[in-house]
Amino acid sequence: MKRPVPSASMQSFRVALSRLVRGSLAALLAIASPLAAYAQGNGLTRPVVLPAFDPARQACSKPRGLRRELVFVQDNKREFIQGIGRGLAIAAAERGLSYRVLRADNDATLMVKQINRLHASKTGSVVVAPIDPPSLSPSLKRVIGSGAYVGAIVPPPATTILNAPQYQTGKVLGDTAATYIRTRLGGKAKVVLLTHDNLQFLAPRFTAMRDTLRQLPGVTIVADISPATVDRAGGYRTMKTILLAQPNIDVVLGADTVVLGALDALRDAGKARPTQFLGGIDGEREAVAELKKAGSPYKASISLASPVFGYAMGRFASDWLDGKSVPQAMDILPKALTIANIGQYERDVADPAAVYADPARRNSYLRMYGNICFDSRDRYMNFPWSSERR
């Protein structure tokens, strides 16, 4: 039996119905697409130059269904990281956030599990010092997609990326060492660089040191190596190995925590001398204590004032949960610590809230860029941001 041929009017009705269904489906997808972008999007993957942070930017929606909690996920317990934690804890207490610390102890797999648990428990804000950024990235994206605040110490992805102008930071230390070599060592020195070149985000600081030292014909870099772990034990083990081949070292440069370990190895081997130049980056308390010791080989530390920027990130976490706009990125400005300015520096890191409340003092340590809030969270930072990039 033949099916009846639809009339022209019936065909028109079907076409209209089909269009209506497609239009309704498109409308539904349009509503759902922002949520999909938040949950699955890749954020800002191409480098952009961010404008200055606008603290007067209009507030937006508050995240819903998240715990008013700030968790600091640490790579290890070095002093620099503990300084960040002190600042975060002070801000959390002021703003009524519960605060706790998770430490991965240099175990990248454990850190991934910790972040996944925070996502499952609907934690509202996380600050992280990543061990292995590529393996951690998918987990951090899920936390960002949930609407939580994510602050990252240098590598993306994050709501707010914290970085230093890395080349400038390395140059400040390199220039200080070069001046010492010229004026105190007759322009000649055997140098050890304890690098973090396996972390691409920190590599520019060591490029700057090499660029500076290359200008001194009497300088020989006898070791240029990344310790297996970025802590005092890693610096100690690496320096012990170097001393087997090069027992007389004049200069050691790197992060404070590994250079302090190198100093331990030099002292244990009876190779530490008052005329040596050991210099680090981070302004750690034990490095500052060495600077004050008469006859110590430790001659310089480039401050990155971790309690001050830790406090700032704690404030951002609270502001985010309150529906306010926060910076997308923040610079830590390097300062070469000297006997003349150590006193003020110690007062500042002891009371980061007072520094933050004083615009002049705050701006000497921090510079903020861009704006982001809960409603614009699909524009999270997912590229290695640096203010030095042009």
Side-chain angles (χ1 to χ4, degrees):
M1 180 176 179
K2 292 185 178 180
R3 294 178 181 270
V5 178
S7 65
S9 60
M10 180 61 72
Q11 287 179 325
S12 298
F13 171 78
R14 289 181 176 176
V15 169
L17 180 62
S18 175
R19 288 174 178 171
L20 178 61
V21 170
R22 288 199 302 268
S24 299
L25 180 60
L28 287 170
L29 290 173
I31 293 170
S33 62
L35 299 177
Y38 295 143
Q40 301 173 10
N42 287 319
L44 298 178
T45 57
R46 295 183 179 180
V48 295
V49 177
L50 298 172
F53 171 62
D54 178 8
R57 183 69 64 87
Q58 185 176 357
C60 66
S61 306
K62 294 183 182 181
R64 294 173 180 263
L66 299 176
R67 299 165 63 187
R68 195 169 173 80
E69 177 184 45
L70 172 58
V71 180
F72 184 22
V73 184
Q74 302 177 348
D75 53 356
N76 56 42
K77 60 180 180 180
R78 65 189 188 275
E79 172 61 28
F80 178 70
I81 292 296
Q82 292 180 47
I84 300 171
R86 284 199 302 112
L88 288 170
I90 293 169
E94 286 183 357
R95 295 300 191 89
L97 298 179
S98 64
Y99 175 73
R100 61 192 173 106
V101 170
L102 297 175
R103 193 165 61 233
D105 292 325
N106 300 314
D107 185 335
T109 301
L110 174 58
M111 181 171 278
V112 171
K113 292 178 180 177
Q114 290 169 333
I115 294 293
N116 289 342
R117 290 191 202 108
L118 294 176
H119 175 248
S121 66
K122 300 188 182 302
T123 292
S125 56
V126 176
V127 172
V128 61
I131 297 168
D132 180 50
S135 68
L136 192 63
S137 178
S139 298
L140 289 177
K141 287 180 182 179
R142 284 192 289 271
V143 176
I144 294 169
S146 76
Y149 173 84
V150 173
I153 313 302
V154 183
T159 309
T160 303
I161 283 186
L162 183 286
N163 202 354
Q166 296 294 346
Y167 190 91
Q168 179 187 348
T169 300
K171 189 173 189 308
V172 171
L173 180 57
D175 287 349
T176 305
T179 298
Y180 186 91
I181 292 168
R182 283 193 296 264
T183 60
R184 302 289 298 277
L185 300 180
K188 298 180 179 180
K190 291 183 177 180
V191 177
V192 170
L193 295 183
L194 299 177
T195 73
H196 300 162
D197 283 344
N198 53 329
L199 295 175
Q200 60 169 310
F201 315 104
L202 299 181
R205 63 172 60 170
F206 302 103
T207 300
M209 294 178 203
R210 296 182 193 103
D211 289 347
T212 298
L213 295 171
R214 197 177 293 122
Q215 299 174 31
L216 301 177
V219 165
T220 302
I221 298 176
V222 297
D224 188 333
I225 187 170
S226 296
T229 57
V230 184
D231 54 18
R232 196 159 182 160
Y236 180 86
R237 289 191 295 267
T238 303
M239 195 67 200
K240 280 197 71 173
T241 301
I242 292 169
L243 288 172
L244 296 175
Q246 297 287 341
N248 296 306
I249 301 298
D250 301 303
V251 175
V252 182
L253 305 177
D256 275 332
T257 189
V258 293
V259 176
L260 286 165
L263 177 58
D264 294 338
L266 287 165
R267 285 174 171 160
D268 284 355
K271 296 295 183 180
R273 310 187 308 273
T275 55
Q276 288 168 318
F277 182 102
L278 272 66
I281 295 170
D282 290 337
E284 292 194 1
R285 282 183 298 180
E286 293 186 45
V288 171
E290 282 290 341
L291 291 178
K292 296 178 177 179
K293 289 182 183 178
S296 173
Y298 222 97
K299 299 298 194 299
S301 181
I302 309 305
S303 159
L304 296 178
S306 61
V308 175
F309 72 73
Y311 177 84
M313 295 188 93
R315 298 260 309 209
F316 300 159
S318 174
D319 286 345
W320 177 273
L321 293 174
D322 290 338
K324 297 178 182 177
S325 183
V326 302
Q328 291 172 281
M330 182 167 60
D331 258 338
I332 328 163
L333 304 178
K335 286 187 174 186
L337 298 182
T338 66
I339 293 298
N341 64 20
I342 280 178
Q344 183 60 56
Y345 170 78
E346 290 181 317
R347 289 190 291 274
D348 286 349
V349 296
D351 190 359
V355 174
Y356 195 88
D358 180 340
R361 288 165 70 192
R362 181 181 66 226
N363 294 341
S364 72
Y365 287 105
L366 305 174
R367 191 172 293 140
M368 305 173 198
Y369 305 86
N371 282 78
I372 188 170
C373 68
F374 176 76
D375 291 341
S376 59
R377 65 193 185 279
D378 59 330
R379 293 179 59 79
Y380 68 88
M381 304 293 280
N382 197 16
F383 65 91
W385 175 84
S386 170
S387 62
E388 293 177 318
R389 185 191 294 271
R390 292 290 183 267

